[in-house]
Amino acid sequence: MAERGAHLTTAAPAEDRPSIFEVLAQDSLMTAVKPALLHAVKILATSNPARYGVLWRRFDEIYAILDVLLQHHFLSRTSASFSENFYGLKRVGEGGTRAVHLGLRRRQHWRSLFLLALLPYLHTKLEKVLARQRDEDDFSIRLPQSFMQKLYRAFLAAYPFVCMAWDGWVFCQQLLYVFGKTRTHSPLLWLAGVKLSYLTANDIHGLDLKPSSPALRPSQSFGEKFQRLVSTAVGGVAVSLSTSLSIGVFFLQFLEWWYSSENQSTVKSLTSLPTPPPPIHLHSQETSHTHIKVCPLCRKVRTNDTALATSGYVFCYKCIYVFVKANHRCPLTGYPSGLQHLIKIYTPDG
C-alpha cells in the first residue's frame, strides 16, 4: 500500500519537480522566522523601552524593508527566494530556462518581489486595522448611518468568507500538485508566472563563480557611481541578513515553537510560580490613605479600577483603555502592552 502511494509525495527521477514536502517546508521557513524575531524584539523593548521601543512599534515596517532587501537580493542573484534557495530550489519562468545567477526576467522579478514581501505586509496591516475596528465596534452601540459605514460593515462581514475562499484555493492547488495536475503548489507562484524546480549542477557551478565587479571608471557619471554604491550597500545588507538567517534559522524555528500557542501551557507549567498573596497590613491602610486610589493618568480618584498586567499599576478603566489602545505600552513603565493585558478589579463593596 505504501509503495503504491509513494509517487504522491516524491518526484520521478527524470522530473525536476520538487516534492510536496519540500515546497511546504520552504513555505513554512519564512513564516517561522517572523514570530521568532517578533518575540526577540519584544524582549528588547521590555528590557529597555526608551531605546528599543521603536523597534516594537514599527516592527512590521522594519521587517518589510529587510524582507524586501533580502528577497530582492536572492531573486537577482539566485532566481529564488531566500527559503527556496535554502532548500536547493529555483524559480523558472514560463518563457523558458535561464542562467540562475542572471536572476529572473524583470516582469517576473517584480511580481515575485511584490507577492513575497509586500503582499504579506499589506495583509498584516489589514488584519490589525480590522482587529482594531472590531474592538471599537464591541464598545459602540451606534448603527451605521452613512454609505461608507454601511460599506465598511459589509466588508467586515464578507472578509472571513474571502479568507476562506483563498484558503480553499490554496488547498486545491496543493492537492492538484500532489497528483501532478499542475506545476505550481501555490496560487502566488501562478500569479508570478513561475514554477519551482531543483538546482542543477550547472546552476550551482554558476552560483559559485562570483563575477568580479568592474572598477569605477573615471568616465562614469555621478549617477552611475551613486547607483553602483547603493547597489553594493544593499547587496552587503542582504548578504549579512542571509548569512545570519542561514546560521540561526534552526534556532529561530525552535523559538517559534517554544513560544507558540500550542506550547504555552507546557511553558507556563514549567516556568510559572504561584502568585503570592498581598500583605495583610495593606487592607487597613487602603481605607485611610486616599492617594492609593488616585489614577496615575487623570490624577483623580479611580473609577472602575483596572490593572495593567504587564506592569501591575492600577488605573481608571477609561484612562488606561484609551492610552494603551493609542500607544501600545504602559504609561508609567513603557512596557509593551495591549488591550488583552487589562484586568478589571472587583471589590467586595461593589
Side-chain angles (χ1 to χ4, degrees), residues 8-11 15-31 80-92 116 170-171 173-180 182-189 194-199 253:
L8 297 179
T9 55
T10 57
E15 191 177 3
D16 61 349
R17 187 173 66 96
S19 66
I20 186 65
F21 291 125
E22 290 171 310
V23 294
L24 293 182
Q26 67 86 19
D27 280 342
S28 63
L29 178 60
M30 292 305 294
T31 57
S81 66
F82 167 77
S83 57
E84 293 162 357
N85 180 259
F86 187 83
Y87 280 92
L89 305 176
K90 65 177 179 180
R91 294 192 171 206
V92 179
L116 281 170
V170 172
F171 175 76
Q173 191 85 2
Q174 293 176 355
L175 195 62
L176 292 174
Y177 184 84
V178 168
F179 288 98
T182 181
R183 296 289 297 175
T184 59
H185 75 286
S186 171
L188 296 179
L189 291 176
V194 296
K195 62 181 180 180
L196 294 181
S197 63
Y198 290 112
L199 286 173
Q253 285 184 326

Side-chain angles (χ1 to χ4, degrees), residues 139 295 297-298 300-307 314-327 331 339 342-344:
F139 288 91
C295 174
L297 286 174
C298 64
K300 299 178 182 178
V301 178
R302 293 193 306 264
T303 57
N304 203 355
D305 294 356
T306 302
V314 183
F315 309 84
C316 299
Y317 175 77
K318 182 179 179 181
C319 297
I320 191 60
Y321 177 85
V322 173
F323 186 90
V324 170
K325 182 179 178 182
N327 300 278
L339 296 179
L342 301 181
I343 301 176
K344 296 288 293 295

Side-chain angles (χ1 to χ4, degrees), residues 236-256:
V237 173
V239 169
S240 302
L241 289 174
S242 63
T243 304
S244 303
L245 284 178
S246 299
I247 295 175
V249 64
F250 297 106
F251 177 71
L252 290 175
Q253 285 184 326
F254 171 76
L255 281 182
E256 192 272 337

Side-chain angles (χ1 to χ4, degrees), residues 161-221:
F161 297 97
V162 174
C163 294
M164 183 177 63
W166 173 261
D167 293 337
W169 186 9
V170 172
F171 175 76
C172 293
Q173 191 85 2
Q174 293 176 355
L175 195 62
L176 292 174
Y177 184 84
V178 168
F179 288 98
K181 301 299 183 180
T182 181
R183 296 289 297 175
T184 59
H185 75 286
S186 171
L188 296 179
L189 291 176
W190 178 77
L191 292 173
V194 296
K195 62 181 180 180
L196 294 181
S197 63
Y198 290 112
L199 286 173
T200 63
N202 292 332
D203 295 332
I204 298 175
H205 181 69
L207 292 175
D208 291 338
L209 295 178
K210 299 178 181 179
S212 58
S213 58
L216 294 175
R217 301 187 304 272
S219 59
Q220 285 183 328
S221 64

Side-chain angles (χ1 to χ4, degrees), residues 326-347:
N327 300 278
H328 307 286
R329 63 180 178 86
C330 174
L332 300 181
T333 63
Y335 293 163
S337 307
L339 296 179
Q340 69 273 15
H341 297 128
L342 301 181
I343 301 176
K344 296 288 293 295
I345 298 178
Y346 300 94
T347 57

Side-chain angles (χ1 to χ4, degrees), residues 7 22-24 45 49 53-54 65 76 78 81 90 102 119 121 130 134 147 149 187 226 239 272 290 292 315 331:
H7 69 283
E22 290 171 310
V23 294
L24 293 182
V54 65
I65 293 174
S76 302
T78 66
S81 66
K90 65 177 179 180
L102 297 178
L119 186 62
Y121 167 74
L130 292 179
R134 292 192 190 99
F147 174 76
Q149 290 177 344
F226 179 76
V239 169
S272 61
T290 309
I292 298 179
F315 309 84

